[in-house]
Amino acid sequence: MYLSTIDRPHAGDDGAKPSRRKVFFLLSGNVFALGTVSLVTDISSEMMTAVLPVYLVVALHLSPAVYGVVDGAYTGATALLRLVGGYIADSTRRRKLIAGLGYGLSAVAKLGLLAVGSAVGAIGAVIAIDRAGKGLRTAPRDALITLSTPPQLYGRAFGVHRTMDTIGAFTGPLVALGILAATAQAYDAVFVASFCIAAFGVLVLVLFVRDHRDEQPPKGTVSVSALGGLIAMAPVRRLVLAACLAGMVTIGDGFVYLLLQHREHLSVNWFPLLAVGTNLSYLLLATPLGMLADKIGRLKVVLGGYTALVLVYLMLFGPFGGTALLLVVLALYGLFYAATDGVLIALAGPVLPESLRTTGIALIQTGQALSYLVTSVLFGLAWTVWGPASASRVAAVLVALAVLILGLLLRGIPATNTDASGTGDLAEEHA
């Protein structure tokens, strides 16, 4: 798995450059180690994600509007902590440590759901803690992927990572479904199992993921003024605006699955399988679309993903239903994630300087998370006031408009690293 010429570009007895074929097909072992951590952690996370919407709306009888607030907290809580975690990781050069703290915080939060019972406020607080852990870990993890990969392979690296991540996301709902079936709908059993699996993910991180502290600039390089300089970079500003817009037009997975359940009158017992369908599509498409993005352009793939999302929202209350609707919607929803999740960060990687790589990624993700918080609340209100059909159609129109604006905002973003810190030389050396 390990490719020494990527981790240490001048390795080798004769000092020869690695062949184009080796660089093209192989990635650093750190990418696979991080992928394994994400795989295990996502089993835990998706066990929760698969049961929470139906647990809150059906078991606890929350209205769509209240669920929107809780769902917004689920993602919006990551917003500011993404930025704080990214800045601390860059300034201390301890990306693995900050990521580990985030994974650990999320693991502990799983046990919190056992203690809060049906108190909506307490449930929201525990969910916010869980997502705060995600906020701390995401940017350092993604920065480690870029620091372990030559720039021309960013799309491939994120595609492979997201594929492994999605194997966990695919497995998690099945595990939750099996536990619920075996325990007569005992949600507590799901929460305990989720904690145990998350704790194992932290152990894998500690044992197998390597940090890149030796490649970072001297201590003191990262500062508030340097952060201001990062924001002043035109490509970074455009990426942040694009991420905010993307978050502003994207409703949560829970809403999509609740809309499908409402439309098709699905049994609560089968609700977790909706996430399984999406994750299967994502799993199959993440690596091919990452490779395609490196080949034809990452922006084209991202815009194609949001076009698929338009179709998803329109089809939720379209002219046909039944099994065909479920299969097509879940396939397109998985395609949307495969084309946008890792590819958007791959698009950002080349324009972010190494010294602020984690902070830059966190800045982009923070903009998206804050926008999502607002959207989740507004969509819950729209569902309550206008009804689910009208709310989903308005969402589709907004995404269609966003596709056009994203194309203008992100046009001309460079595909290779232009940073003076030396990453550009690395890209040239591996070309």
Side-chain angles (χ1 to χ4, degrees):
M1 292 283 202
Y2 286 86
L3 181 59
S4 62
T5 52
I6 286 179
D7 291 329
R8 293 173 288 130
H10 300 289
D13 294 335
D14 57 1
K17 295 179 181 179
S19 70
R20 180 186 297 270
R21 185 178 183 84
K22 283 186 177 181
V23 172
F24 185 80
F25 283 104
L26 296 180
L27 295 171
S28 165
N30 225 28
V31 174
F32 292 96
L34 288 162
T36 302
V37 174
S38 292
L39 186 158
V40 174
T41 302
D42 250 37
I43 294 176
S44 169
S45 297
E46 291 302 318
M47 288 172 64
M48 305 292 294
T49 301
V51 302
L52 269 177
V54 69
Y55 174 64
L56 296 174
V57 174
V58 177
L60 300 185
H61 307 291
L62 299 188
S63 71
V66 175
Y67 172 73
V69 174
V70 175
D71 184 61
Y74 192 77
T75 298
T78 70
L80 295 179
L81 274 177
R82 287 178 191 263
L83 191 55
V84 171
Y87 184 80
I88 294 174
D90 278 335
S91 60
T92 62
R93 296 179 291 161
R94 293 179 179 270
R95 294 183 173 90
K96 176 180 173 178
L97 174 62
I98 301 303
L101 290 174
Y103 281 111
L105 189 61
S106 292
V108 172
K110 304 296 190 298
L111 294 180
L113 288 171
L114 293 172
V116 298
S118 60
V120 174
I123 289 173
V126 171
I127 289 173
I129 292 172
D130 176 56
R131 294 299 87 184
K134 181 178 176 63
L136 281 177
R137 72 182 184 247
T138 303
R141 180 203 66 201
D142 286 350
L144 282 172
I145 292 174
T146 66
L147 292 170
S148 304
T149 308
Q152 72 270 24
L153 297 182
Y154 282 170
R156 179 184 298 270
F158 279 104
V160 168
H161 175 269
R162 279 2 184 215
T163 295
M164 297 180 72
D165 181 276
T166 310
I167 291 173
F170 174 80
T171 306
L174 294 177
V175 175
L177 186 64
I179 292 174
L180 289 176
T183 60
Q185 307 299 311
Y187 290 97
D188 286 358
V190 176
F191 301 154
V192 171
S194 178
F195 164 74
C196 295
I197 295 170
F200 179 69
V202 176
L203 180 62
V204 174
L205 176 80
V206 171
L207 294 178
F208 297 106
V209 172
R210 294 176 295 116
D211 216 334
H212 276 259
R213 295 179 63 193
D214 57 318
E215 297 184 7
Q216 300 309 301
K219 198 169 183 179
T221 300
V222 180
S223 64
V224 176
S225 60
L227 178 58
L230 179 67
I231 299 172
M233 296 171 61
V236 175
R237 284 202 311 273
R238 287 157 54 195
L239 282 162
V240 172
L241 287 173
C244 289
L245 178 61
M248 199 171 295
V249 298
T250 306
I251 64 176
D253 294 355
F255 276 125
V256 173
Y257 301 147
L258 286 170
L259 288 168
L260 281 174
Q261 193 262 347
H262 177 83
R263 165 77 186 268
E264 296 300 313
H265 307 291
L266 296 176
S267 167
V268 170
N269 293 335
W270 297 108
F271 187 86
L273 291 182
L274 297 176
V276 172
T278 297
N279 291 328
L280 177 60
S281 174
Y282 189 177
L283 169 64
L284 296 175
L285 294 173
T287 297
L289 286 178
M291 295 168 63
L292 181 66
D294 286 338
K295 184 176 181 180
I296 69 170
R298 292 158 191 164
L299 177 57
K300 293 177 182 177
V301 174
V302 169
L303 295 180
Y306 279 99
T307 301
L309 187 63
V310 174
L311 297 177
V312 167
Y313 292 167
L314 287 175
M315 292 176 66
L316 287 173
F317 288 90
F320 67 94
T323 303
L325 172 69
L326 294 175
L327 293 176
V328 174
V329 166
L330 296 179
L332 286 172
Y333 205 35
L335 187 154
F336 156 67
Y337 277 117
T340 59
D341 187 12
V343 179
L344 182 61
I345 302 302
L347 185 66
V351 304
L352 298 172
E354 268 195 26
S355 59
L356 288 169
R357 181 72 53 82
T358 317
T359 306
I361 292 174
L363 185 63
I364 292 166
Q365 294 172 337
T366 295
Q368 192 166 16
L370 285 174
S371 299
Y372 177 87
L373 170 60
V374 175
T375 302
S376 187
V377 174
L378 291 179
F379 187 82
L381 291 172
W383 181 343
T384 302
V385 176
W386 298 338
S390 296
S392 63
R393 288 165 186 160
V394 169
V397 172
L398 292 176
V399 178
L401 292 174
V403 169
L404 299 176
I405 300 173
L406 287 173
L408 295 174
L409 274 176
L410 299 178
R411 185 175 55 186
I413 296 292
T416 56
N417 197 294
T418 57
D419 175 33
S421 62
T423 311
D425 294 336
L426 179 64
E428 187 175 320
E429 184 171 339
H430 286 281

